[in-house]
Structures are given as structure tokens and as C-alpha cells.
Amino acid sequence: MKKIRTAIFGALVAAMAFGATAAFAQETLYLYGPGGPYPAMREAAAAFGQARGAHLEVTAGPTGKWLDKAKGDADLIFSGAENMMTDFVKAMDGRIDEASITPLYLRPSAILVRPGNPRGIKGVTDLFKPGLKVLVVQGAGQNGLWEDVAGRKGDIRSVKALRGNIVAFAANSAEAKSLWTERTDIDAWLIWNIWQVANKDLASLVPTEKDYTIYRDCGVALTRQGKEKPLAREFVAFLQSKEGAAIFAKWGWLTDAPR
């Protein structure tokens, strides 16, 4: 009889353990997006997961590397620009709930230069000077960024001058980072400030002048399956909270209107 009770008790313990494991699995959220917002999103996901006793798996990088998997299990999608989020809506074949798209925080354009700024670059106007070698990104969340910066004052001469100095057009920021590392002859890299915050040893930062600065945002959206999960909706709220804003500010994002 004692053996029977022991067996039953063991079975109950096993069942409870299985139930706990299953419950934990139900509290796993899957997030996908580009590399730019990844450091901030990863830290926010870790803080939220620790507070809620949940697991948030954040995957980032070029869209082609995660799109197929995201179509199967994504709960949330984050972006690095509004045009990028619009592209994600199309790429995800209707799996994103468009009404849930939430712009979060902006980051400004900036110039990355070699450590110590050996060329003495002080701003965008220096990028127009003959002989300077400039790297830009033409893709992902930076479509048209360099042209927007150069054309801010309506002077076509600035656009011509900057284009004449561009020696490489990277398809995305990850490719640009590789080019910056490999091609030490490149003097300046026009990109977002957050890339220098996350790679302090790789480059020094020169802010773009106010009259030339462009801003684009990180946004988040629920997928249709994520919309049905209270935890996913809670995470979106967390991203917009004071704690979420503090995390993004740490990684260079603007959580207040620029002054």
C-alpha cells in the first residue's frame, strides 16, 4: 500500500512539474527586429522578464536572417524607422496587427569618426570638403538618410559634395560596421548616434549640427498571435514606462523632445 501511495505521489509531483514547465513555456515571448535598437530592446526584455518571471527571446539582425522564423512564432516586431516598420508589415504577410504599431523613441543622425578624430571633423559641413572619404548606409532604417541630411538646407551643392565623397554604400548597419573595420581609409561614417554608444572603442562621435540633424524612431508592434497574450501587451506598456525609457536613454535614444 505504501508503495502504491509513493507511486501516486511521485506521479503527482511529476505532473505538477510538467504543468509548471508548460506554464513557463506559455510565458515565453519572441521578439524580432533590426540590430540598431537591439542593445536597448535586449536590456528592456531582460528587465521585464526578470520582474515578471518570464522569458523574452530577442532576435536581431538583417531581416532575411530571421523573417521565416518570425512568421512562425513572433509575438512582437520592433523596427528602426517608420519606413522599416511599414516594410515589416508587408514582409510578415498580414501577421502584424497594424493598429498596435507604437512609435517609442527617436535617435539622431551622427557622424562616427576614427578614435580621437584625426581628421578634425566638426560636423556635416566638413563632410562636404573634397578629399574626405565617407561611408553611408542605403537600406534598412537609413534609406535616404545621407540625402536627407545633405539636403536639409535646400542646397543642391551640398548633396553633390557629399555624394562625391561617399566611397561605400552599405546595405545595412551591420555591413557598414564591417566595412568601417576593414577599410581603415574611410574617414567618417554617417549613421545614428546609438551605434557609437554600443561600440565606443570602434569610433568617436561627432554630433550633426542641429540644422542638419535627422531623427528616426524605434517602434514596436504586436503580431496577431502576440495580441492575444497579456504578457506581450504588458511588455509594450513597459517599453513606454519610466523604467523602459531609462533603459533606452542609456543606449542613446531620446526619451524627451530635443531642446
Side-chain angles (χ1 to χ4, degrees):
M1 189 69 169
K2 184 177 180 180
K3 290 183 178 180
I4 294 175
R5 287 199 299 269
T6 300
I8 293 173
F9 178 74
L12 287 172
V13 170
M16 290 172 65
F18 176 79
T21 301
F24 182 80
Q26 290 174 353
E27 292 190 350
T28 298
L29 296 180
Y30 296 92
L31 293 73
Y32 296 87
Y38 175 64
M41 191 63 70
R42 176 184 56 190
E43 184 171 334
F48 176 82
Q50 184 175 14
R52 299 297 194 280
H55 175 66
L56 283 72
E57 185 175 305
V58 186
T59 301
T63 310
K65 292 187 177 181
W66 52 257
L67 182 60
D68 287 343
K69 189 172 185 300
K71 287 180 179 181
D73 63 13
D75 297 302
L76 300 104
I77 298 291
F78 58 93
S79 70
E82 287 301 314
N83 69 288
M84 178 182 280
M85 181 61 84
T86 300
D87 288 343
F88 287 161
V89 170
K90 183 177 180 180
M92 287 289 287
D93 297 328
R95 292 173 175 83
I96 290 177
D97 176 39
E98 292 189 59
S100 74
I101 295 174
T102 305
L104 294 170
Y105 305 110
L106 292 166
R107 82 274 210 206
S109 55
I111 304 166
L112 272 61
V113 297
R114 297 296 170 182
N117 194 8
R119 294 297 301 268
I121 296 169
K122 297 179 180 179
V124 173
T125 53
D126 284 338
L127 302 186
F128 304 151
K129 296 177 179 178
L132 211 65
K133 295 181 179 180
V134 181
L135 165 66
V136 301
V137 178
Q138 181 59 35
Q142 295 175 67
N143 277 325
L145 172 64
W146 75 266
E147 184 179 2
D148 287 345
V149 168
R152 278 296 300 274
K153 293 188 176 183
D155 189 342
I156 192 63
R157 292 172 298 179
S158 298
V159 179
K160 288 180 179 178
L162 181 52
R163 184 171 188 100
N165 284 343
I166 296 173
V167 295
F169 294 84
N172 52 58
S173 298
E175 181 180 310
K177 182 179 177 180
S178 295
L179 285 169
W180 178 256
T181 303
E182 295 165 5
R183 292 193 53 179
T184 56
D185 62 312
I186 295 176
D187 303 303
W189 175 11
L190 184 61
I191 194 170
W192 308 114
N193 69 317
I194 59 170
W195 280 92
Q196 193 274 336
V197 175
N199 299 277
K200 293 184 182 297
D201 295 334
L202 195 63
S204 297
L205 184 142
V206 175
T208 53
E209 303 92 319
K210 185 176 180 180
D211 289 348
Y212 285 109
T213 299
I214 298 295
Y215 301 87
R216 289 187 188 158
D217 75 331
C218 170
V220 66
L222 295 166
T223 62
R224 299 202 178 278
Q225 74 175 30
K227 184 180 178 182
E228 302 303 317
K229 298 182 179 181
L231 190 68
R233 299 195 298 272
E234 289 175 21
F235 180 60
V236 174
F238 173 81
L239 291 173
Q240 301 173 83
S241 70
K242 289 183 178 180
E243 187 175 357
I247 291 171
F248 271 77
K250 170 186 172 181
W251 290 99
W253 296 82
L254 302 178
T255 55
D256 293 309
R259 293 176 175 80

